[in-house]
Amino acid sequence: MNPTGYREVPERGAGLVCSWTAALPADAVPFVQRVVPDGCVDVIWSADGVQVAGPDTGPMPAALRPGARMAAVRFGPGAAPPVLGVPADALRDARVPLRDLWGGAADGLADAVAGAGSLETRREVLVAAVRARAARVEPVDPLVPEVVAGLAEGSVRDVADALGLGERQLRRRSLAAFGYGPKVLQRVLRFQRALALARSGVPLADVAYAAGFADQAHFANEVRALAGEPVSALM
């Protein structure tokens, strides 16, 4: 996102990892942001209403018009389905109007955010509404944190064995929770670890090993597959 127009705020609880705002001046050149897979799901308010984004399996272009203003919340991997009311694989690689999931409640939320004044206040209203919704629904599948932690260290079979599940059952529950089967989820999480390391200043020659790739070529190929460009372009 354009660094002059994007602001991110860490969040805790309700399955949220952050909220964010973005704004382009009215005289700005139209801007296209390449969104790369992170396993997360965003609920985004703009002048066009509220939509749900992700989880993605590859790079997705997001066009911002001059004068665009957005406020959003981001769910961590596996946290969005109970709040949105649909399994995550129903949202994979999609941008869906929140009204399709929440009905008239989404229109009320869009009106409340739009009428809140400043962009920062709109972000706060959106966060509060999502938190209130999360407090009224079933909790996240308890499998979620164990799968995320397990895939960081071992194979899909290792994780299935540790959880006492067959690989097919693990895949079914992973699709519903994350939008991905466990093998794809592992690739996305590993890619994000590598990106975080690279952005923190770790030399690219060391990132592949530290993030769990087989070698430098494996790292480069996975970044190209998931982001559509080399890691140097994502820094």
Side-chain angles (χ1 to χ4, degrees), residues 11-19 39-42 73-83 130-131 134-135 137-140 144:
E11 300 286 352
R12 295 177 62 88
L16 301 178
V17 294
C18 71
S19 56
C40 297
V41 173
D42 288 21
V73 294
R74 179 170 298 148
F75 289 94
V83 179
V130 171
R131 288 187 179 280
V137 300
E138 294 294 322
V140 170
V144 165

Side-chain angles (χ1 to χ4, degrees), residues 87-150:
D89 54 333
L91 305 171
R92 186 175 58 243
D93 293 325
R95 302 297 183 262
V96 178
L98 185 63
R99 197 179 199 286
D100 291 356
L101 310 180
W102 285 6
D107 296 333
L109 175 59
D111 290 343
V113 175
S118 71
L119 191 57
E120 174 63 17
T121 304
R122 291 173 183 178
R123 180 191 66 80
E124 293 172 350
V125 169
L126 182 61
V127 170
V130 171
R131 288 187 179 280
R133 183 90 175 196
R136 301 195 299 269
V137 300
E138 294 294 322
V140 170
D141 186 338
L143 176 100
V144 165
E146 297 185 61
V147 169
V148 170

Side-chain angles (χ1 to χ4, degrees), residues 24-32 64-66:
L24 256 65
D27 59 353
V29 174
F31 181 74
V32 178
L64 298 181
R65 301 186 299 267

Side-chain angles (χ1 to χ4, degrees), residues 88 143 147 169-182 185:
L143 176 100
V147 169
Q169 187 178 11
L170 175 61
R171 175 176 170 77
R172 178 179 58 78
R173 290 178 64 178
S174 293
L175 284 170
F178 303 106
Y180 311 130
L185 176 64

Side-chain angles (χ1 to χ4, degrees), residues 35-53:
V35 179
V36 299
D38 59 5
C40 297
V41 173
D42 288 21
V43 177
I44 307 169
W45 171 88
S46 71
D48 297 325
V50 184
Q51 70 169 359
V52 179

